[in-house]
């Protein structure tokens, strides 16, 4: 970014994402007062370090915007335009659904930039409000490089809250704030992140799993041909040496779609595995071939689930007869917690016309069960053809959520290990005996 572009770029340098602290009593001071002080000090330093004109916002934070005043719109707009995302880590931060939504919306913006060739954009700069153990970090956060020790041992041990509260640490606090401001400005200038269209806040999922929920897992299976197995007349640009190299939106993205999907699912705090359908066991044993029990029921519904799954399928994969037969078996044994997404790039001319229509009909014959389940959901576009990369990125979290709900709905509950304990029961009242009463012997003298 040259000097002219920098001068005209008046977007906020940072978005301060923090967990609001609830009041513990009535009439007390604002529990987030010191966060506001930190925000103001960061803005002052950034104004001094940059050439932002007067009146331009150096940063953004959610203060008392809770209702009215266009609160969701302002939040979404600043998440879509700010240059750097600064999450203020604390134990409360990772239990806040609001903070999880802010993180996901900004991280999705990073993924869009990477998909269009902007490279690895390190636009998330975490800061410590209080000390947080590594074990407290969600899986969706652990890939972010954090070097808190670079700001000093006391900051790493106590965070900004420990520095700002005590006067004797005033100079150390000021030095740490300046260091963070310098880091924000450096990241904003070295790796400029393009603005994006604001994501509706109310429909934005959280990047943090709910409190008390264990690790969430999902498996992604890719059914796509390779460059060596496509028909001679098929455009080879979407394909690579492996099915996982498939990039149906190659005119929009430089990244393989399975890799992008894996990272997006991981940002929802899932542990994700990916395999090619052409592998010997593409689902890790989770989706067996169809079989029927003696009472006539599908045996697949009798088997406890191990993890939900999503099938990414290219309709051109159906031109291989052996693969088409295996996909049909896959569909016949698919449990309710297996969903499908069918990318069908509207900019790919070969996906239209007579051959495109025939491939669509062949897909309906090959995966009737999975497709019909998908059409009965709110994300039915996933199985009717996802036309653009943006639509895919917007749709994937909804498919993940639906698939997980189906998994939880059909999962078997297993009691904890150990001896069986009877359920507690309320007993009748026990009347105490007077002090001079003899032993209770059934009324006998």
């Amino acid at each position: 970014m040259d000097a002219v572009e920098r001068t005209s770029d008046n977007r906020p340098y940072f978005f301060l994402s923090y967990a609001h602290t609830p009041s513990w009593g009535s009439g007390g001071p604002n529990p987030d007062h010191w966060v506001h002080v930190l925000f103001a000090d960061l803005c002052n330093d950034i104004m001094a370090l940059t050439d932002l004109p007067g009146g331009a916002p150096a940063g953004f934070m959610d203060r008392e915007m809770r209702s009215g005043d266009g609160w969701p719109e302002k939040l979404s707009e600043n998440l879509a335009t700010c240059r750097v995302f600064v999450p203020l880590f604390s134990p409360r931060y990772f239990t806040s659904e609001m903070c999880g939504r802010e993180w996901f919306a900004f991280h999705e913006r990073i993924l869009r930039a990477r998909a269009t060739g902007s490279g690895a954009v390190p636009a998330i700069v975490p800061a410590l409000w209080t000390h947080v153990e590594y074990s407290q970090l969600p899986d969706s956060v652990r890939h972010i490089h954090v070097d808190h020790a670079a700001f000093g041992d006391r900051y790493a041990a106590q965070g900004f809250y420990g520095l700002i509260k005590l006067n004797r640490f005033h100079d150390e606090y000021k030095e740490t704030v300046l260091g963070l401001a310098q880091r924000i400005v450096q990241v904003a200038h070295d790796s400029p992140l393009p603005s994006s269209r604001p994501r509706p806040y109310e429909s934005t999922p959280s990047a943090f799993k709910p409190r008390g929920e264990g690790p969430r897992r999902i498996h992604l299976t890719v059914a796509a041909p390779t460059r060596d197995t496509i028909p001679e007349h098929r455009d080879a640009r979407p394909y690579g040496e492996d099915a996982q190299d498939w990039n149906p939106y190659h005119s929009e993205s430089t990244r393989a779609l399975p890799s992008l999907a894996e990272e997006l699912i991981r940002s929802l705090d899932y542990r994700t595995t990916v395999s090619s359908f052409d592998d010997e066991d593409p689902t890790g044993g989770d989706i067996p071939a169809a079989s029927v029990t003696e009472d006539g029921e599908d045996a697949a519904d009798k088997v406890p689930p191990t993890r939900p799954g999503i099938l990414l399928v290219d309709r051109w994969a159906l031109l291989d007869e052996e693969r088409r037969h295996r996909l049909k078996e896959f569909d016949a044994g698919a449990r309710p917690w297996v969903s499908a997404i069918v990318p069908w790039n509207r900019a790919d001319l070969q996906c239209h016309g007579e051959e495109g229509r025939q491939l669509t009909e062949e897909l309906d014959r090959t995966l009737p069960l999975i497709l019909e389940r998908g059409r009965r959901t709110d994300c039915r576009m996933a199985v009717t053809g996802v036309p653009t990369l943006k639509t895919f990125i917007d749709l994937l979290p909804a498919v993940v959520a639906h698939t997980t709900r189906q998994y939880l709905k059909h999962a078997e509950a297993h009691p904890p290990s150990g001896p069986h304990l009877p359920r507690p029961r309320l007993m009748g009242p026990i009347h105490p005996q007077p002090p001079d009463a003899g032993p209770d012997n059934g009324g006998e003298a």
Side-chain angles (χ1 to χ4, degrees):
M1 180 180 290
D2 57 30
V4 175
E5 289 175 321
R6 288 186 185 180
T7 301
S8 61
D9 187 355
N10 295 334
R11 296 176 301 160
Y13 264 83
F14 70 101
F15 183 110
L16 186 65
S17 174
Y18 70 102
H20 290 259
T21 303
S23 300
W24 57 268
S26 60
N30 182 354
D32 293 320
H33 165 74
W34 294 112
V35 178
H36 297 170
V37 172
L38 171 62
F39 174 77
D41 290 341
L42 272 174
C43 288
N44 288 335
D45 283 346
I46 285 176
M47 290 299 292
L49 294 170
T50 66
D51 58 357
L52 274 177
F60 174 87
M61 71 175 290
D62 164 29
R63 293 177 182 267
E64 276 78 34
M65 295 191 309
R66 285 301 176 188
S67 62
D69 199 29
W71 168 67
E73 292 77 15
K74 287 185 178 180
L75 206 65
S76 298
E77 180 182 348
N78 280 276
L79 282 167
T81 57
C82 69
R83 312 183 202 202
V84 175
F85 184 75
V86 181
L88 203 54
F89 282 9
S90 68
R92 192 183 300 278
Y93 186 85
F94 300 108
T95 63
S96 167
E97 181 179 2
M98 178 177 174
C99 295
R101 289 184 178 189
E102 292 169 356
W103 183 292
F104 180 84
F106 191 85
H107 189 261
E108 183 186 60
R109 184 177 154 201
I110 292 177
L111 291 183
R112 291 179 189 271
R114 289 178 182 170
T116 55
S118 296
V121 182
I124 297 179
V125 179
L128 278 180
W129 183 240
T130 59
H131 179 73
V132 179
E133 296 290 343
Y134 181 80
S135 59
Q136 294 179 278
L137 300 179
D139 290 344
S140 54
V141 170
R142 294 185 180 185
H143 69 286
I144 302 295
H145 176 69
V146 181
D147 184 15
H148 296 307
F151 292 124
D153 294 340
R154 189 174 285 108
Y155 167 79
Q158 300 182 19
F160 276 114
Y161 185 73
L163 299 180
I164 200 173
K165 288 283 288 183
L166 300 177
N167 288 335
R168 67 176 182 271
F169 297 144
H170 177 75
D171 291 344
E172 190 169 346
Y173 162 76
K174 288 293 187 181
E175 183 178 354
T176 307
V177 172
L178 177 60
L180 178 59
Q182 290 170 333
R183 175 65 178 156
I184 292 170
V185 172
Q186 179 186 3
V187 169
H189 288 174
D190 292 349
S191 304
L193 181 64
S195 297
S196 66
R197 181 180 302 176
R199 197 186 204 286
Y201 175 79
E202 298 300 334
S203 62
T204 300
S206 172
F208 312 143
K209 60 179 175 283
R211 185 197 300 267
E213 186 175 303
R216 300 187 293 184
R217 294 177 171 84
I218 199 163
H219 186 78
L220 195 64
T221 304
V222 186
T226 66
R227 187 179 293 116
D228 296 329
T229 59
I230 57 174
E232 291 184 0
H233 70 283
R234 173 61 175 145
D235 185 355
R237 286 178 295 176
Y239 305 100
E241 296 181 359
D242 187 90
Q244 295 187 43
D245 297 326
W246 180 40
N247 181 14
Y249 307 110
H250 60 89
S251 59
E252 301 177 69
S253 172
T254 60
R255 295 188 63 189
L257 191 65
S259 174
L260 179 65
E262 179 185 12
E263 190 169 355
L264 184 59
I265 295 173
R266 193 188 312 123
S267 72
L268 291 166
D269 211 1
Y270 281 78
R271 297 179 182 178
T272 313
T273 52
V274 184
S275 68
S276 302
F277 183 79
D278 289 344
D279 292 346
E280 183 176 353
D281 188 8
T283 66
D286 283 347
I287 307 174
S291 56
V292 179
T293 61
E294 294 180 359
D295 56 6
E297 295 186 10
D298 188 347
D301 291 331
K302 297 280 190 179
V303 183
T306 56
R307 53 185 169 174
I310 296 176
L311 174 68
L312 278 181
V313 57
D314 179 14
R315 294 174 188 174
W316 292 89
L318 303 172
L319 294 180
D320 181 89
E321 183 177 356
E322 191 274 335
R323 186 189 294 119
R324 186 170 65 249
H325 176 73
R326 291 184 64 229
L327 279 168
K328 198 170 186 65
E329 289 185 342
F330 183 103
D331 177 79
R335 303 167 189 166
W337 52 90
V338 176
S339 301
I341 302 180
V342 185
W344 195 238
N345 187 355
R346 67 183 179 191
D348 188 338
L349 298 181
Q350 287 187 321
C351 291
H352 308 289
E354 180 62 22
E355 187 168 24
R357 185 186 63 78
Q358 292 176 359
L359 288 173
T360 299
E361 293 175 352
E362 190 62 59
L363 182 69
D364 288 337
R365 290 191 291 268
T366 304
L367 301 175
L369 179 61
I370 295 177
L371 296 183
E372 180 55 31
R373 288 173 180 165
R375 293 188 183 103
R376 296 198 301 263
T377 69
D378 292 336
C379 39
R380 60 182 62 86
M381 184 183 288
V383 297
T384 59
V386 184
T388 65
L389 178 65
K390 179 186 181 304
T391 306
F392 179 88
I393 292 176
D394 290 341
L395 196 62
L396 182 58
V399 176
V400 170
H402 168 77
T403 306
T404 303
R405 286 194 299 269
Q406 292 300 308
Y407 168 78
L408 295 175
K409 178 180 178 181
H410 293 85
E412 290 185 0
H414 299 282
S417 58
H420 172 71
L421 299 177
R423 295 180 61 183
R425 297 171 56 191
L426 291 176
M427 308 298 292
I430 300 176
H431 300 286
Q433 296 183 353
D436 56 348
D440 183 5
N441 55 11
E444 297 181 2

